[in-house]
Amino acid sequence: MRIPLNRHSDTPLYRQIESFLRQGILSGSLSPETRLPASRQLAQDLGVNRITVANAYAELEADGLIASRVGDGTYVLPPYPLPTVTHKGDGKSWPLWQRDLEAQNEEATKPEPDEMLRAAGHPTPISFAVGTGDSHLFPVDDLRRVMQNILRHDGTAALEYGEPNGYGPLRSTIAYILASQGLQTHADNILITSGSQQALALVSQFLLKPDDVILVESPTYSEALSLFRGLRLKVVGVPIDEDGMQVDRLEKLLQQHHPKLIYTIPNFHNPTGVCLSGQRRRQLLALADRYNVPILEDDFVGDLRYDGRAQPALKSLDPGGRVIYVSTFSKMLTPGLRAGFLVAEGPVYDSLVEFKRTYDLATSSVIQRALEAYVTVGRYQTHLRRSCQVYRKRRDAMLLAIHRHLPAGVQVIPPQGGLFIWLTLPDNLSADDLLPLACREGVAFAPGRNFFPEPSSNTSGMRLSFVTQPPERIEKGIERLGKAIRRLSVMS
Ligand code: PMP
């Protein structure tokens, strides 16, 4: 059997073999009862290790596409019988209450930039749209060994619910990490959550009720906006500039709207990459205190600093109980761990622990133990240093490429860390109009509109992630973007 393999691709060889066979099986070109070559034979034919083929077969077998018969060989299985009911576009089969939801969903779901990029069918697509770090940097083998050790040494203890506020040793480790960053706290003030998204959900759901006002930076993290809107909160935006939230506008908004919470991302803000200045941090705290409003501080990538001086966390300036601090291992390590945490003091901490318990009982014990073992042996610091080195180069490559390939009227805010660069298009060109043209050129980005609390705001802003692509692809992607912008300028 001949399977085309790309030995320079980022996709592991076993995945390439698996995906080739999967396509063959699903398309019917490898029909049921076809006998696949023995793994030793196929490995020889393809010039790969036998384990590579065995891994590919194991994945297909786990998905029920093939089966090995002892002493006989490996065979393609007949396809699963498909359900006869269609689940899309058949409104009549749903009860009435479901049909209302269907209409709402259709309105809410617009294609994601990456879907548009795929649909455009460019042979070498480059996406700057994603909001995560580069998962290829994560040392998967280290984590695998740590997980094995945990199960070997901790046994069933690792498989129980565990403490409601999270695994004690992990909370202590987090307290040490935070202390090294200037935030003094105690393990008993930390609550481990399933990603920081859950921390945002717990706090906003616990403290606010429908129609309450929440103040957010405008623009801000789009999934926080979706969360707040889903809770039927009134979301009011505070404009932002190169020094973060324009705190001088805050007092009027506090008087006008009587918000119940201020949500802010003071470091390497999503989507603009800016940091809140030291002076504004103090003003923000003073105002929140005067108007008796809690602050929800989202420090999702505070550790990923490439240059400049770190400002103190709002939480570290809090004399106690005013700020709820939220952070995550998703960006510094990897998002699939679903490990985040919050720091709070006073009655609200106990209430949030109890709320979290009723919400999902606990965050995975195994993952918390693995994370604790991984972080305490110093791999975390090594990984962080390496990520910062790699990301700094990528940021510089993107800034240089923007300078080289984009029209002079494009405005950029160079970030000192984090994941994102925010661009503003010249002449009121719309990032939404640009996206389909850019996808056709083979590049995608996140258009700015989704990040604004008010529907009609800024359409010329856009977010580019610089961390997931190596410098050569960044250069290529920005060159394509330049072409698309020029094309849009001519059309407008
Ligand atoms: N806050 C911000 C600003 C984010 O960008 C994200 C993820 N994109 C999150 C919170 C949530 O991340 P997680 O749940 O993976 O910790």
Side-chain angles (χ1 to χ4, degrees):
M1 181 178 279
R2 290 179 56 183
I3 299 181
L5 294 179
N6 178 356
R7 289 170 203 273
H8 304 294
S9 159
D10 287 344
T11 310
L13 290 173
Y14 86 93
R15 280 263 177 236
Q16 295 185 36
I17 298 171
E18 179 217 326
S19 127
F20 181 89
L21 293 173
R22 183 184 294 272
Q23 268 170 24
I25 295 168
L26 294 178
S27 68
S29 63
L30 285 172
S31 52
E33 290 305 312
T34 304
R35 186 170 197 259
L36 296 180
S39 54
R40 188 186 303 277
Q41 182 59 50
L42 186 56
Q44 215 170 35
D45 293 350
L46 300 177
V48 300
N49 194 305
R50 189 179 163 199
I51 295 173
T52 305
V53 176
N55 283 342
Y57 280 9
E59 295 284 323
L60 294 168
E61 190 155 8
D63 286 349
L65 295 173
I66 63 173
S68 56
R69 296 176 194 156
V70 183
D72 189 5
T74 305
Y75 288 85
V76 175
L77 288 177
Y80 293 122
L82 290 175
T84 48
V85 183
T86 59
H87 286 266
K88 279 215 159 160
D90 184 13
K92 283 195 215 83
S93 62
W94 299 121
L96 208 53
W97 62 270
Q98 284 260 36
R99 274 184 253 167
D100 289 348
L101 290 177
E102 198 171 31
Q104 277 171 28
N105 289 349
E106 264 162 31
E107 207 166 284
T109 47
K110 297 209 182 65
E112 293 287 325
D114 281 345
E115 275 172 54
M116 290 174 66
L117 182 61
R118 265 193 301 279
H122 193 282
T124 55
I126 298 174
S127 175
F128 298 133
V130 285
T132 55
D134 184 347
S135 53
H136 294 103
L137 297 182
F138 185 75
V140 179
D141 284 342
D142 281 354
L143 185 66
R144 183 174 47 75
R145 276 191 284 275
V146 165
M147 295 277 257
Q148 278 169 347
N149 281 341
I150 294 297
L151 289 173
R152 198 172 302 135
H153 292 127
D154 296 3
T156 51
L159 301 171
E160 286 167 5
Y161 283 132
E163 298 162 76
N165 55 349
Y167 182 50
L170 178 60
R171 285 185 286 109
S172 300
T173 302
I174 291 171
Y176 283 121
I177 295 178
L178 292 177
S180 74
Q181 297 164 353
L183 201 174
Q184 302 291 337
T185 188
H186 193 272
D188 289 345
N189 292 112
I190 294 173
L191 167 61
I192 311 279
T193 54
S194 304
S196 56
Q197 187 75 18
Q198 187 185 48
L200 302 182
L202 291 175
V203 173
S204 48
Q205 205 170 340
F206 181 72
L207 290 180
L208 283 78
K209 55 183 188 326
D211 291 330
D212 281 346
V213 173
I214 180 164
L215 292 186
V216 303
E217 281 127 359
S218 175
T220 190
Y221 168 43
S222 52
E223 296 300 335
L225 282 178
S226 306
L227 166 70
F228 302 148
R229 287 181 185 134
L231 294 173
R232 310 265 185 269
L233 307 180
K234 289 195 175 128
V235 187
V236 174
V238 189
I240 196 167
D241 63 21
E242 294 188 12
D243 283 329
M245 181 193 284
Q246 294 181 21
V247 177
D248 53 342
R249 310 253 199 131
L250 195 61
E251 185 149 24
K252 200 162 155 229
L253 295 171
L254 287 164
Q255 289 169 352
Q256 207 177 332
H257 296 285
H258 309 289
K260 293 283 182 350
L261 186 66
I262 301 172
Y263 168 65
T264 177
I265 311 169
N267 294 322
F268 316 122
H269 174 260
N270 183 1
T272 62
V274 300
C275 290
L276 187 66
S277 71
Q279 195 190 6
R280 286 188 183 178
R281 285 175 196 241
R282 289 178 172 80
Q283 286 168 345
L284 172 57
L285 267 171
L287 278 171
D289 203 22
R290 193 172 326 141
Y291 286 86
N292 190 32
V293 187
I295 294 177
L296 177 54
E297 175 178 23
D298 181 349
D299 195 18
F300 77 124
V301 282
D303 268 5
L304 292 177
R305 173 172 286 281
Y306 317 132
D307 40 46
R309 202 162 52 87
Q311 294 295 338
L314 292 168
K315 181 80 203 144
S316 69
L317 304 172
D318 173 6
R322 281 129 176 104
V323 177
I324 299 173
Y325 175 92
V326 163
S327 189
T328 178
F329 290 100
S330 285
K331 317 289 164 170
M332 272 84 87
L333 294 177
T334 185
L337 294 172
R338 304 312 299 130
F341 57 93
L342 64 78
V343 183
E345 306 91 16
V348 75
Y349 176 78
D350 299 331
S351 304
L352 287 170
V353 172
E354 184 53 20
F355 193 46
K356 151 89 181 162
R357 202 179 60 76
T358 55
Y359 208 85
D360 72 347
L361 300 180
T363 293
S364 158
S365 269
V366 186
I367 291 294
Q368 291 189 65
R369 283 166 191 257
L371 193 53
E372 192 269 334
Y374 182 87
V375 171
T376 44
V377 290
R379 292 190 193 94
Y380 176 76
Q381 297 300 342
T382 314
H383 176 69
L384 189 60
R385 255 196 312 278
R386 174 144 178 268
S387 303
C388 283
Q389 259 171 18
V390 172
Y391 293 166
R392 180 187 295 116
K393 285 202 184 112
R394 294 180 181 183
R395 177 205 56 183
D396 293 346
M398 187 170 275
L399 288 172
L400 195 66
I402 288 173
H403 188 66
R404 252 192 221 139
H405 299 294
L406 300 194
V410 170
Q411 288 171 28
V412 191
I413 308 179
Q416 293 187 327
L419 314 176
F420 308 122
I421 291 181
W422 180 255
L423 294 185
T424 308
L425 293 169
D427 310 323
N428 275 333
L429 291 179
S430 145
D432 288 305
D433 294 343
L434 178 64
L435 186 58
L437 300 182
C439 288
R440 238 171 284 154
E441 292 292 339
V443 64
F445 56 84
R449 192 178 27 80
N450 301 342
F451 300 99
F452 284 87
E454 311 81 12
S456 64
S457 320
N458 188 317
T459 56
S460 55
M462 53 198 269
R463 189 192 77 180
L464 301 182
S465 159
F466 56 82
V467 293
T468 52
Q469 307 286 345
E472 327 71 76
R473 281 171 64 81
I474 290 179
E475 166 96 27
K476 186 87 220 146
I478 297 292
E479 193 182 343
R480 292 175 183 175
L481 189 63
K483 267 194 212 154
I485 296 177
R486 286 190 186 87
R487 187 163 301 164
L488 181 65
S489 304
V490 173
M491 286 161 57
S492 305

